[in-house]
Amino acid sequence: MTLPPALLKGDELFEHDASAQYDASRDLSKYLLMHYGSLEDLFNGGQHPLAPAHGYCQRLSDLLRSCAEQTGTTVARALDVGCSVGGVTHALSGWVRDEVVGVDVSQRSVEIAQTLTEHGGGTFCVIEQGPFHREVVIRVAEPGQRAAVSFEVGDANALRAPEEAFDAVVLSNVLDRVQQPAACLAQFSASADILRSGGLLMVACPWSWYPEYSVPSEWLGSAATATPSEEGLKALLRNDFELLAEADEPGLLRQNPREFDWFDSHVTVWRKR
Ligand SMILES: C[S@@+](CC[C@H](N)C(=O)[O-])C[C@H]1O[C@@H](n2cnc3c(N)ncnc32)[C@H](O)[C@@H]1O
């Protein structure tokens, strides 16, 4: 068996890294671990109080699958917007019929996702403490056991119309990272070019708004009208979509064995009218 390729090297984790956010080695290491790491990889073995937050990508994929099954929606092609290193893309490929496409603005995330897809996995390093790091080996399903998977660099606010519209679109933890979240969503309702009528839209977001990403007037919801982001999202989508499911899904980004960023994404699944 050939050795899996090195996706990230350990020394990179401790260098000053002036890369754009999401291209930095530390961030990519955290997303690789969150998307593909086992419980053992995440917590260095043993029981851990944060263990229920493991498996975020698979849980999103399972929820979308159950909505597709309940509504009798055939999902032949799916799009994962803001895919990072592709954990949701790969989870979807376990049940989507033909093809899953991941799009992200981060060139380095896309390159890593492409490399691990091509080689069936790879190795990367996670920070332990100060200068110590640990190597993690990850694997993804072979092409014969999943739908086709591809990744491309693209902007969530200016998505390329595919030759054939997608049957499902996932936006996981990206809407509060784009400059114009409402305009991003409008791409899926305004026409059937990207998401077909009857298709499914999944929006997962912890609603962590920062002016570095979008000006406050763009944030979904409004303090003036006491409207939380959850309701702001529903107001934007309810004319063009039927709400199928609503849930909270926790996830975990590991800084080191003693520090974790826990989030609880608000997840909704919608069927386009
Ligand atoms: C918080 S991460 C979420 C990654 C992954 N979807 C998940 O749920 O773990 C946000 C991702 O969105 C990407 N992103 C930010 N702005 C974007 C844009 N305008 N277009 C496409 N991707 C974008 C970032 O590069 C990053 O990979």
Side-chain angles (χ1 to χ4, degrees):
M1 189 193 280
T2 52
L3 283 175
L7 304 167
L8 284 177
K9 300 210 170 71
D11 293 348
E12 292 176 47
L13 299 174
F14 305 114
E15 287 164 3
H16 174 69
D17 194 337
S19 311
Q21 206 197 356
Y22 298 114
D23 275 357
S25 299
R26 277 194 190 215
D27 284 326
L28 291 166
S29 166
K30 285 186 261 182
Y31 279 97
L32 280 165
L33 190 63
M34 174 192 151
H35 284 200
Y36 299 105
S38 64
L39 266 176
E40 179 93 357
D41 295 330
L42 196 57
F43 299 119
N44 299 16
Q47 296 289 318
H48 197 284
L50 295 173
H54 173 257
Y56 171 83
C57 297
Q58 190 60 49
R59 278 181 278 118
L60 284 200
S61 169
D62 291 346
L63 178 61
L64 187 63
R65 181 182 194 166
S66 83
C67 288
E69 287 171 357
Q70 277 164 27
T71 54
T73 308
T74 300
V75 181
R77 301 181 63 250
L79 174 68
D80 177 13
V81 180
C83 62
S84 180
V85 291
V88 170
T89 322
H90 270 283
L92 294 171
S93 76
W95 62 272
V96 167
R97 196 186 70 192
D98 296 337
E99 183 186 16
V100 190
V101 178
V103 174
D104 201 287
V105 78
S106 156
Q107 169 124 21
R108 205 165 165 217
S109 299
V110 165
E111 284 168 4
I112 287 176
Q114 287 169 333
T115 303
L116 72 88
T117 303
E118 187 186 331
H119 295 271
T123 66
F124 64 100
C125 288
V126 295
I127 288 180
E128 290 296 46
Q129 232 182 37
F132 302 107
H133 55 80
R134 170 169 56 89
E135 189 173 80
V136 174
V137 182
I138 52 172
R139 304 252 175 228
V140 294
E142 296 295 328
Q145 298 165 334
R146 56 167 167 80
V149 167
S150 63
F151 295 95
E152 56 191 71
V153 175
D155 182 354
N157 265 117
L159 290 166
R160 177 178 68 77
E163 275 178 29
E164 195 185 336
F166 291 97
D167 305 296
V169 173
V170 175
L171 292 156
S172 170
N173 302 341
V174 67
L175 218 46
D176 56 6
R177 293 290 176 268
V178 300
Q179 283 184 352
Q180 296 172 305
C184 175
L185 286 172
Q187 295 171 106
F188 311 113
S189 47
S191 84
D193 287 353
I194 298 179
L195 179 63
R196 71 164 168 91
S197 171
L200 303 179
L201 174 67
M202 171 178 261
V203 182
C205 198
W207 308 123
S208 295
W209 301 107
Y210 291 95
E212 293 91 311
Y213 299 116
S214 49
V215 294
S217 58
E218 289 286 338
W219 299 351
L220 303 193
S222 155
T225 57
T227 308
S229 297
E230 289 84 345
E231 295 310 314
L233 175 76
K234 289 175 190 170
L236 275 178
L237 294 182
R238 66 168 61 101
N239 284 344
D240 299 304
F241 294 85
E242 173 197 357
L243 180 60
L244 299 177
E246 184 167 16
D248 295 322
E249 288 295 349
L252 212 53
L253 286 162
R254 177 189 176 280
Q255 304 284 351
N256 69 46
R258 295 184 181 277
E259 187 180 350
F260 294 82
D261 292 335
W262 183 89
F263 63 84
D264 196 21
S265 282
H266 170 241
V267 185
T268 48
V269 183
W270 305 80
R271 185 160 195 234
K272 190 168 175 179
R273 296 185 204 280

